[in-house]
Amino acid sequence: MGDSGCCCFQCVRQQEVGVVEDLGQFKTLLNPGLHFILWPITNIVGRLSLRIQQLDVICETKTKDNVFVQVAVAVQFRILLDGAYDAYYRLSDPRGQIQSYVFDVVRSTVPKMELDEAFASKADIAEATLAQLQDVMKDYGYEILTTLVTDLAPDSRVKASMNEINASKRLKEAASHKAEADKVRQVKAAEAEAEARYLSGLGVARQRKAIVQGLQASVTEFSDEVEGAKPKDVMDILLLSQYFDTLSTVGANSLILEHDPQTVANLQQQVGNSFLQQGRSH
């Protein structure tokens, strides 16, 4: 059963509407189902789908900063049952009509924006297109459900330039962060070194203090326990003991040093003279 009809029974599918003419004049609209017509006087001249349809439109325009872009807009629409007469008889090319209005809105909106603003305002472009189409196409029996800006693509060379700008910006930020991290590491290392030296100095000072206190206690105890011993004698013995300990430590490192017993006496005299000079200065 074709559109021109071949018998008295015609079938209209679900979500379709049939346009019936009687001797070339519009007669009625047929809903889905089986219908009886008086062919060839009455004929179904057309069938309109009531399902949602989509039209993809690609429009080339340029932005305010003179960058040519291709804007892809998807328009979703359907024919209203009450407007099926207007949809069939008033428009010969509804898709071309919708495409023309999309071109008009996009080419009047995008040139007012710079490229970055256009990327951020895709929703505004879609809303402007939707408002324009709804007002116009409603009179022709079409309902515009939504419009979507699915893509906004500048020239490939512009894309490459934008990527290079972003890459350079990120490299600059990375270098700045790296320099700041190096600065922090150096400052912390200097603070740690200063703290280590301070603590090392405290340790050496405490060590020397402990040694002096130990020597003082040894001299006092030895003088008290050995009758007739003088502090000078005790100091000579301790100095000689330290001297032999030093020789033992040096010898463990396979070093050859000249040894003379007179060295102990000279060392004692030098230490004594040093103490005397410090006492006089005070």
Side-chain angles (χ1 to χ4, degrees):
M1 291 179 290
D3 289 343
S4 59
C6 59
C7 64
C8 295
F9 292 95
Q10 291 285 325
C11 181
V12 179
R13 294 182 178 273
Q14 184 67 31
Q15 286 299 101
E16 287 186 353
V17 61
V19 180
V20 179
E21 290 183 354
D22 190 355
L23 297 177
Q25 183 180 6
F26 172 77
K27 182 178 182 181
T28 187
L29 298 174
L30 297 182
N31 293 323
L34 182 65
H35 299 275
F36 175 79
I37 61 174
L38 298 176
W39 184 84
I41 299 175
T42 304
N43 191 17
I44 298 179
V45 295
R47 302 170 189 267
L48 299 177
S49 174
L50 301 179
R51 291 179 293 180
I52 296 176
Q53 305 176 58
Q54 177 168 311
L55 175 64
D56 294 320
V57 181
I58 298 179
C59 175
E60 184 176 13
T61 183
K62 74 172 184 176
T63 60
K64 187 176 181 180
D65 47 354
N66 295 323
V67 177
F68 282 89
V69 294
Q70 287 189 339
V71 183
V73 180
V75 181
Q76 295 180 355
F77 63 95
R78 69 177 179 178
I79 297 175
L80 297 173
L81 181 60
D82 296 339
Y85 175 87
D86 293 327
Y88 186 79
Y89 286 102
R90 295 186 63 187
L91 282 181
S92 61
D93 186 10
R95 289 179 174 267
Q97 184 86 353
I98 293 175
Q99 180 174 309
S100 297
Y101 280 105
V102 171
F103 282 171
D104 179 66
V105 174
V106 171
R107 288 175 177 170
S108 62
T109 304
V110 175
K112 300 177 182 178
M113 306 176 181
E114 294 186 352
L115 182 60
D116 293 338
E117 183 183 359
F119 274 105
S121 304
K122 292 169 63 176
D124 296 337
I125 300 173
E127 290 177 2
T129 306
L130 177 63
Q132 179 76 3
L133 288 175
Q134 283 181 334
D135 292 339
V136 174
M137 298 304 295
K138 185 177 182 181
D139 294 338
Y140 298 102
Y142 284 85
E143 180 185 10
I144 307 299
L145 301 176
T146 185
T147 57
L148 303 172
V149 178
T150 57
D151 191 19
L152 199 154
D155 185 79
S156 58
R157 290 173 295 180
V158 176
K159 285 184 179 180
S161 299
M162 294 176 65
N163 291 334
E164 289 180 1
I165 292 173
N166 290 330
S168 299
K169 181 179 179 181
R170 295 184 183 278
L171 288 175
K172 182 179 179 181
E173 292 178 356
S176 176
H177 290 310
K178 185 177 183 299
E180 187 67 22
D182 292 340
K183 176 184 175 182
V184 172
R185 280 198 296 267
Q186 292 177 2
V187 170
K188 292 299 181 182
E191 292 177 353
E193 184 178 0
E195 185 69 16
R197 291 184 177 181
Y198 172 74
L199 295 177
S200 177
L202 288 179
V204 171
R206 290 175 181 174
Q207 180 186 16
R208 291 176 179 175
K209 183 178 180 180
I211 292 174
V212 172
Q213 291 176 350
L215 291 175
Q216 183 180 4
S218 299
V219 171
T220 302
E221 291 178 1
F222 193 85
S223 299
D224 294 340
E225 294 179 1
V226 179
E227 187 176 349
K230 298 179 180 179
K232 180 179 180 301
D233 298 332
V234 177
M235 288 298 298
D236 291 341
I237 294 174
L238 290 176
L239 187 60
L240 182 61
S241 175
Q242 293 293 328
Y243 179 73
F244 283 133
D245 290 340
T246 302
L247 290 179
S248 176
T249 302
V250 173
N253 294 325
S254 302
L255 296 177
I256 300 177
L257 297 176
E258 181 181 357
H259 170 63
D260 185 1
Q262 186 64 25
T263 304
V264 179
N266 294 334
L267 182 60
Q268 179 185 2
Q269 185 178 1
Q270 293 174 7
V271 174
N273 293 335
S274 176
F275 286 149
L276 287 175
Q277 291 177 1
Q278 289 181 1
R280 290 172 183 175
S281 63
H282 292 294

